Amino acid sequence: MTSVLRVEHLSYSYPGAERPAVRDLSLEISAGELVVLAGASGSGKSTLLRAASGLVPHFYGGEIAGRVTVAGMDTREHGPGELAFAVGTLFQDPETQVVMGTVRAELAFPLENRGESGSAVARGVEETALALGISHLLDRSTSELSGGELQRVALGAALAGRPALVVLDEPTSQLDPVAGDELISLLRRCNEDADTTIVLAEHRLERCLSAADRVIALVDGEIACDADPADFLRWAALGAPELQTPGARLLAGAGLPAAVGVKPARAALRERGLLPDPRAAGSAPAQGEDRRRGRPRRVTRPLRGRERSAEPALALARVWHELPRGPAILRDASLVLMAGEHVALMGRNGAGKSTLLRHAAGLMRPTRGKVQSAGRVALLLQNPTDYLVHETVAAEASVHSLAAVGLSSAAFAGRNPRDLSGGERQRLALAIVLDDPDGPPAVVCLDEPTRGMDRGRKGELAELLAEMPAAVLVATHDPEFVAAFADRVVLLADGAPIADGPAADVLAGGTYFATETARILGGAGGALRPEEGVALIAGSLQTEAVTAR
Amino acid sequence: MSYRRLASPLHAARAGAGCAYCLALACAALLAEHPIMLAAVTLAIAGAGCAAGVGRELRRAALFAIPLAVMIVLVNAFVSRDGLTVLLRLGQLPVLGHTDITLEATAYGAILGLRAVALILCGALYTAAVDPDEVLRLFRRVSFRSALTATLATRMVPVLVRDARRLADAQRCRPGKPPSRLALMRAASSGVLDRALDVAAALEVRGYGSAHRPPRARRPYSRHDVAFAAAAAAIVMLSVGARATGAAPFHAYPSLYSPAGSGVLAIAAALLACALAPFADRRGIG
């Protein structure tokens, strides 16, 4: 097969970096492959993609050794501008990738840069818009688009020139589950229809593995695994458990080999008679009742040592937020958080999650309705870097507050906040909002805290939140993270809660706002995490044994 | 303030025609001396803004322009030593010396102020109603990089405004003593540089670095293209004609001379009619 991307012994260090981002990396990607790059943050995924698009080293500088060839062009001799003929690139943040005022101009921009004729540009724009389902947006201003729409437009600009290779760096990290799944489907369709080679770096592997032909896992800048998705999951079970998908962990717990995707995992469980009855997904029945009906026991989720009080920590009563000459962002939204309660706020992009958090923290005033809290409401907004204004970590927050978020003063106090990794910045920003001489806050709100985080860091954050005595309200798109920390889930749509209940009830029954475990088990027993699923399967087997006796 | 495609004849016209129209109005504002002519031009710009559905944007621009105009009137009244009709004798003032406020200097300041208002409104009309992407396409054939830089600067304004708002919100979330202005300035500058770097990377991967001379786009002339181009030509001819023939005579010094004859009124009415006529035809504007 024709090689589209060939990397030979690539080593690269960013300017001023102490150690190389990638080391002696060699790989070859053939035409028409859809490759997923897996690995923890800082493992070298983004650097490899930047090397493929020529940004490394032409744009970032640094020291490079080895050779990268894209569609026959050596990146040492051809810069990103020339490579753009062969490589389409999509980054994480759609906001900074869109450079023109209208969608039509944005799609035309790369074609015009190539010197295509007017008719070729017009045809390319129309075809790309049709392929991505954005023809209705063509004459819209890019400043009016939602995050999902903007990311589609940026993908369109990357695909417009029909490049042989498209590289994408966590393109779904800022999208809601629906928009994220749509984007992955679009990529698969482009790959199948146009034979476009796709290299996609992602943290939420459960979302994209079933679409992949091959997975390359990077650990500390080196290739640790290069295999098809099923073999990758087998490798991850032993070599890198943090890269395992929840479905693979569920199957491993049930003593089965890993399967890629929800359908094959469900089939594997069904084949061995281990798939619990999905009818057990309703409200929690009594244990005896379960046994009588032969259904699996419902999973109960403890409060992890926290005490929930009868006093509300935060109460939003019939809150409206209506924009002047614009739509209503919140419509009669009511929400009560008891002290010690941990609640996840979910919903599509634009559902009103961030606005609700801002009202809770007093950054906005409702146009109608009332917000009351039992004390200070700490709010951590989406971008932790916005909180960092001092030269050292020690100047940002007190030693006590830093210790509370797991940043030891000895290791971090003298460092510049902007030199910290993404996860460390997140913790520091959390330390800043929690650091009040008048006492701890009554409520802690976090807006999309897991954007771009790998599974390990998400786990650490979930543990940190679980230990917090305050009421916690987190707006997030990540159902796996919700399953790890939340007692209760509120689903928001068009500015109003449409579902509000225990995490197991809200997350187990859905498709988009459901964990992979819940989707595999069809919502049975309200199991959301792999461990809960394994317990459910074990309970189900015991029940069957009792019934048989 | 930024461009948004609306259903109006000016938005429906090609950027070339839109540019010419706004440029013609700006020329008229610069050439007009007679207060009636200048008022007609200002009225024409405001009317065009309302007819194009960007009246709010023009109002916002006027909130900035009017205080500026008042300042110009005051400065001219205090600084100018010309004019025979003394309104106020202020005697010796520090820095300014002997100061008399004259009717002529005040009136001329008002003319300058009104001209500034007209020019600012004209700029607002251009920003809100002429597609910057099309303008870029027009000018990039001449100087691609300059045109792109100008367009990107326009595009970055709302992005940076949003960033600033985010930064301010984050600082409001900090408990305790707020950080110093210097620390905030440093953080804001660093954020702007990060943004600029991201946008530069995006431009590189879209092929900007190897940009070829773009193709000439051929598009049939619509009724609105023709109407606005014709209006622009008519406005320029009326303004140049009035100035060249002295049909709208005006001088402020040494004493005010500003006859409001039928000729002046006719030219002002014609200018207003020419500027607003293209908005009468609203076919095919969606």
Side-chain angles (χ1 to χ4, degrees), chain A residues 298-503:
Chain A
R298 185 181 173 77
V299 173
T300 55
R301 300 163 67 79
L303 276 174
R304 302 178 183 100
R306 280 176 282 117
E307 282 184 18
R308 189 187 293 177
S309 141
E311 291 295 309
L314 175 71
L316 285 90
R318 313 199 64 175
V319 169
W320 285 76
H321 184 84
E322 297 142 308
L323 296 178
R325 296 169 187 266
I329 309 296
L330 291 179
R331 298 163 192 266
D332 204 27
S334 294
L335 177 68
V336 175
L337 248 78
M338 307 311 274
E341 200 175 17
H342 288 183
V343 179
L345 199 56
M346 300 188 82
R348 288 199 67 157
N349 286 114
K353 303 186 294 297
S354 299
T355 306
L356 193 142
L357 292 189
R358 283 162 186 267
H359 278 283
L363 286 185
M364 287 176 164
R365 285 184 183 280
T367 45
R368 285 156 72 188
K370 212 163 145 188
V371 180
Q372 284 180 312
S373 65
R376 188 170 74 84
V377 179
L379 171 59
L380 180 59
L381 294 163
Q382 284 185 16
N383 192 349
T385 311
D386 291 341
Y387 290 84
L388 314 179
V389 294
H390 292 111
E391 294 288 280
T392 61
V393 169
E396 295 282 9
S398 69
V399 175
H400 171 72
S401 191
L402 289 174
V405 298
L407 294 176
S408 74
S409 189
F412 291 95
R415 291 179 63 184
N416 187 316
R418 288 178 179 266
D419 291 340
L420 302 182
S421 72
E424 289 162 351
R425 281 188 201 191
Q426 186 86 32
R427 279 170 180 261
L428 177 56
L430 190 56
I432 291 168
V433 297
L434 295 178
D435 190 20
D436 192 350
D438 299 335
V443 185
V444 179
C445 299
L446 296 97
D447 195 358
E448 286 292 343
T450 62
R451 286 195 323 174
M453 266 191 189
D454 62 37
R455 209 182 293 280
R457 287 193 182 138
K458 275 185 214 170
E460 286 170 13
L461 182 64
E463 277 175 26
L464 189 68
L465 294 180
E467 299 299 321
M468 277 190 186
V472 175
L473 181 60
V474 180
T476 180
H477 290 142
D478 189 340
E480 307 293 340
F481 179 67
V482 172
F485 91 92
D487 310 319
R488 180 179 149 205
V489 175
V490 176
L491 197 58
L492 220 59
D494 286 332
I498 52 163
D500 183 350

Side-chain angles (χ1 to χ4, degrees), chain B residues 259-270:
Chain B
S262 55
V264 179
L265 289 173
I267 296 171

